[in-house]
Amino acid sequence: MDRQDAFFNHITEGNTSKGDYITLGSAMLDGETLQNAYVNVPLKTMNRHGLIAGATGTGKTKTLQVLAENLSEQGVPVLLMDIKGDLSGLAQPSPGHPKIDERMEKIGLPFEAKSFPVEVMSLSEQDGVRLRATISEFGPVLISRILGVTETQAGIISVIFKYCDDNKLPLLDIKDFKKILQYATGEGKKEFEQEYGRISTASTGAILRKLVELEQQGGDVFFGETSFDVDDLLRVDRDGRGYINIIRLTDIQDKPKLFSTFMLSLLAEIYSTFPEQGDSGRPELVMFIDEAHLIFNEASDALLDQIESIVKLIRSKGVGLYFVTQNPTDVPPEVLSQLGLKVQHALRAFTAKDRKAIKLTAENYPDTDYYDTAEVLTSLGIGEALVSALNEKGKPTPLAATMMRAPMSRMDILTPQELSQLLSTSKLTRKYNEEVDRESAYEMLNKKIEIAEAEEAKEKARKEEEAIKKAETKRKERRRSTRQNPIVKVLSSPTVIRSVLGILTKMLK
């Protein structure tokens, strides 16, 4: 048996699965693609998380697209974080191309152009199904972590939430939260001190400033109703294909606070609501985070801690997390060590730092007799990648330089007309895009303050009226006390006195 035949057997035996699987492409040896030497990923292991890495322009996004398409075909819903804005083409079939036909012939797979069920979502004012959450749903712990407050300020936030729970004040949006903070050290200061102790205006002022920062990054759009139900990420169409939910993030790359807020909310909600699955035959949901280096570079410590915890725990909920980034070193080691599937596109060695990163990357892959891994990493072409997955027993599959299959859907974005048509037929658009501003803490506290001010004004008017009546009574009493008896007044008049004096004078004479 020659080297090529031995390699073919090595790949096919190592990629044999009893259950369902996804074919990524066909293995390559010495720069040549071996037809039918399929590189497969068992569907059962897709909740073991993964990494898609490589330099700009090497085909990472197309690999993501292929995985999303094949998961959808297997009935697995997908959530894509689309930071570059180039994934909406999944909703339209590929127009085809001779180069695609040539690639698929080398791999040994037939090519079929297909469209997939897609929902386009948005955190901001962009067109799409609006994703929102309420302040109450976050709770005091997550809100404190998002805002990055001190321990003392976190305690105040807990008190604020307790007060709202005790008084049935819904905290829905940022204006609710700001109002209750102002109330705690203003009109409601005495009430808070009696029930919960003194609250410092300096601390509430610091919390308010952090809220304003979040608000300026789009938090005022994200927080509110109607709150998104994560179960709507798990829909399948009438043909049994999982929906591909694409979240448009092109306008929030410079808003890490908003993205951190959303990610914390989503991961926490999924973990708290999805049932335990254990090692089932297929994942419940697979999430892809494109341009993940932007998240890890800009994310708050709270988000990083949360992602590390979720990566370790959420697998049992049947959820797979996949990070798409330029270099594996962009991903924290604590996260990287938990990843099962690794698809490594070409890396470029332009600097000493690049060469060091390539060496470290090569060491993360299984040993092989067929490749110099570090050398292969710099010689891969566009749409080629080193692939290492886990088999159904959880063991690494043979490392394979792989000619990746082409996407079945369009490798381009939707036109404005196509996007408008997609959104107009979406059930989720009708469900979530109506703005709701029901009575909540802001309105209730304003009403409470108005009632208190009215009662205060009424009490003040009553006291003023009493004071006026009292003053009038005193004036009357003074008037009575100075008013003379009519007889005394006559007798004491000058005329009577002169007459009496005249009579006395005559009598003395």
Side-chain angles (χ1 to χ4, degrees):
M1 184 182 296
D2 63 15
R3 184 167 178 267
Q4 194 174 87
D5 289 339
F7 177 73
F8 182 89
N9 292 338
H10 175 65
I11 293 298
T12 52
E13 288 171 9
N15 283 273
T16 300
S17 295
K18 294 180 180 178
D20 295 329
Y21 57 86
I22 292 171
T23 300
L24 294 182
S26 195
M28 303 169 65
L29 182 65
D30 301 326
E32 181 185 346
T33 304
L34 276 63
Q35 195 177 59
N36 303 328
Y38 299 134
V39 176
N40 301 323
V41 182
L43 197 63
K44 179 180 180 180
T45 66
M46 286 297 291
N47 66 335
R48 299 293 183 95
H49 316 312
L51 172 74
I52 303 170
T56 300
T58 55
K60 300 187 300 295
T61 303
K62 300 303 174 281
T63 295
L64 185 161
Q65 194 169 339
V66 166
L67 281 167
E69 291 174 347
N70 283 272
L71 284 165
S72 175
E73 280 208 315
Q74 298 275 9
V76 178
V78 175
L79 178 64
L80 304 179
M81 313 289 179
D82 187 10
I83 290 180
K84 297 195 298 291
D86 54 2
L87 289 169
S88 60
L90 281 155
Q92 292 291 330
S94 168
H97 195 278
K99 288 187 176 180
I100 292 177
D101 296 333
E102 182 184 346
R103 174 179 289 265
M104 299 303 287
E105 185 178 348
K106 285 182 179 179
I107 293 170
L109 290 172
F111 178 73
E112 184 181 358
K114 291 182 181 180
S115 62
F116 294 85
V118 167
E119 286 286 358
V120 176
M121 302 176 171
S122 173
L123 291 177
S124 61
E125 299 290 355
Q126 288 191 100
D127 292 337
V129 176
R130 293 288 297 278
L131 298 177
R132 296 187 184 91
T134 65
I135 295 283
S136 292
E137 286 170 336
F138 271 69
V141 176
L142 275 183
I143 286 290
S144 297
R145 296 179 75 180
I146 289 162
L147 297 178
V149 297
T150 65
E151 189 175 340
T152 300
Q153 292 161 2
I156 289 173
I157 291 174
S158 295
V159 167
I160 293 293
F161 272 77
K162 181 69 167 62
Y163 175 85
C164 291
D165 287 343
D166 291 346
N167 291 274
K168 294 181 173 55
L169 297 174
L171 281 174
L172 304 181
D173 49 31
I174 286 185
K175 76 175 187 295
D176 289 334
F177 200 13
K178 288 166 72 175
K179 188 66 183 179
I180 187 65
L181 283 167
Q182 292 162 348
Y183 180 78
T185 53
E187 296 88 348
K189 184 177 179 179
K190 289 184 179 178
E191 182 183 357
F192 265 86
E193 286 183 356
Q194 288 174 356
E195 295 292 329
Y196 309 100
R198 184 175 176 275
I199 291 178
S200 165
T201 54
S203 293
T204 56
I207 297 170
L208 279 168
R209 287 190 292 274
K210 290 181 181 291
L211 272 177
V212 169
E213 180 188 356
L214 179 58
E215 189 175 33
Q216 289 176 334
Q217 292 197 18
D220 56 334
V221 177
F222 174 68
F223 283 109
E225 292 184 314
T226 303
S227 184
F228 188 77
D229 184 352
V230 292
D231 284 342
D232 282 328
L233 296 173
L234 305 180
R235 297 187 307 140
V236 296
D237 70 0
R238 59 172 176 253
D239 297 322
R241 298 180 302 171
Y243 265 86
I244 300 174
N245 305 283
I246 302 173
I247 303 179
R248 304 174 72 191
L249 300 171
T250 54
D251 62 339
I252 66 165
Q253 292 187 32
D254 58 345
K255 300 174 181 177
K257 278 277 185 188
L258 177 59
F259 189 80
S260 297
T261 300
F262 166 69
M263 284 294 293
L264 281 170
S265 167
L266 182 68
L267 293 174
E269 186 73 8
I270 286 174
Y271 185 70
S272 64
T273 59
F274 281 21
E276 288 285 335
Q277 256 197 326
D279 285 323
S280 65
R282 58 196 302 109
E284 189 80 6
L285 174 71
V286 176
M287 298 170 58
F288 292 89
I289 304 174
D290 198 9
E291 300 294 331
H293 59 279
L294 296 175
I295 299 167
F296 290 116
N297 290 344
E298 301 292 339
S300 65
D301 291 339
L303 175 60
L304 294 177
D305 291 343
Q306 190 76 6
I307 288 178
E308 288 174 16
S309 298
I310 290 294
V311 167
K312 294 173 183 177
L313 300 172
I314 208 169
R315 181 181 67 83
S316 64
K317 303 284 185 173
V319 178
L321 283 175
Y322 287 77
F323 302 98
V324 185
T325 188
Q326 294 186 6
N327 198 302
T329 56
D330 296 331
V331 180
E334 295 81 5
V335 174
L336 200 61
S337 64
Q338 300 292 323
L339 307 182
L341 173 64
K342 293 176 184 176
V343 181
Q344 179 64 61
H345 288 269
L347 293 174
R348 306 303 180 211
F350 295 121
T351 66
K353 184 179 179 181
D354 291 338
R355 288 191 291 274
K356 186 177 180 181
I358 289 169
K359 185 178 179 182
L360 287 172
T361 300
E363 291 173 355
N364 289 326
Y365 286 89
D367 292 332
T368 175
D369 296 329
Y370 295 96
Y371 303 116
D372 180 334
T373 307
E375 184 180 331
V376 172
L377 283 173
T378 59
S379 61
L380 291 167
I382 297 172
E384 300 172 0
L386 274 175
V387 177
S388 174
L390 296 177
N391 65 20
E392 290 169 318
K393 295 182 179 179
K395 298 178 181 180
T397 58
L399 181 63
T402 307
M403 172 71 74
M404 305 296 288
R405 66 188 296 176
M408 295 176 277
S409 57
R410 183 194 294 175
M411 292 187 278
D412 198 0
I413 63 173
L414 297 179
T415 66
Q417 294 77 16
E418 289 170 337
L419 178 60
S420 178
Q421 174 65 22
L422 181 67
L423 293 174
S424 67
T425 58
S426 167
K427 293 180 180 179
L428 297 189
T429 300
R430 294 192 291 273
K431 181 177 179 180
Y432 292 110
N433 282 30
E434 181 183 353
E435 290 195 13
V436 178
D437 190 13
R438 65 183 172 96
E439 188 178 56
S440 55
Y442 180 83
E443 291 80 13
M444 291 178 175
L445 287 172
N446 276 336
K447 194 178 293 183
K448 188 174 183 178
I449 291 168
E450 286 173 9
I451 292 171
E453 287 175 346
E455 290 178 353
E456 187 180 342
K458 188 176 179 181
E459 180 65 17
K460 186 178 179 182
R462 186 185 65 77
K463 288 180 179 179
E464 287 176 353
E465 188 177 348
E466 286 180 356
I468 291 170
K469 286 180 180 179
K470 194 172 181 180
E472 186 65 27
T473 301
K474 286 182 178 179
R475 273 199 306 274
K476 288 180 180 178
E477 287 176 355
R478 280 199 303 272
R479 204 177 293 127
R480 279 197 299 270
S481 65
T482 56
R483 188 182 299 136
Q484 291 180 326
N485 189 292
I487 298 172
V488 173
K489 188 174 181 180
V490 171
L491 292 175
S492 61
S493 66
T495 304
V496 173
I497 291 171
R498 281 197 299 272
S499 299
V500 171
L501 288 173
I503 292 169
L504 287 173
T505 303
K506 287 180 181 181
M507 285 177 65
L508 290 172
K509 287 180 179 181

